[in-house]
Amino acid sequence: MRRLFWLAMGITIGALVVRKLSQAADKLTPQSMAANLADGLRELAAAIGDFGAEVRAGMAEREEELRAGTGLDAPLPDRSQTALPVRRGAHAADS
């Protein structure tokens, strides 16, 4: 009975070792390495896109703050609201 137990234990451990080695060998194939590289590049592109979107959102928010603070979004006055001063002096004859 003891020998049967150790035989079964050895077969099980051997099968697990072979399985792990096969998986490691599959990861080192050119196709697998190319797939891993492609996945990594896709993740990097997504991260760069997210970063760009956050930067654009922050820029828009800051621009809105600056426009509100400086009054750049206020409507322009029309001609009736702005009266230009009458010119006097040497150049007055030119006009």
Side-chain angles (χ1 to χ4, degrees):
M1 189 70 176
R2 184 181 275 188
R3 287 183 183 178
L4 185 60
F5 170 76
W6 288 114
L7 178 65
M9 182 69 75
I11 291 172
T12 303
I13 290 173
L16 290 175
V17 167
V18 168
R19 184 174 174 195
K20 289 291 183 180
L21 288 175
S22 296
Q23 288 175 349
D26 287 341
K27 286 184 180 180
L28 296 177
T29 62
Q31 294 87 4
S32 177
M33 293 181 84
N36 288 340
L37 179 62
D39 290 342
L41 289 175
R42 260 188 243 106
E43 289 177 12
L44 178 64
I48 290 172
D50 291 344
F51 175 73
E54 289 179 15
V55 168
R56 284 189 296 277
M59 286 173 30
E61 181 180 333
R62 181 64 179 148
E63 183 177 359
E64 187 64 33
E65 290 173 1
L66 290 173
R67 285 184 176 278
T70 58
L72 289 177
D73 287 337
L76 295 174
D78 59 0
R79 287 189 172 243
S80 65
Q81 294 173 340
T82 58
L84 297 175
V86 178
R87 294 176 54 183
R88 297 180 190 195
H91 297 287
D94 294 341
S95 54

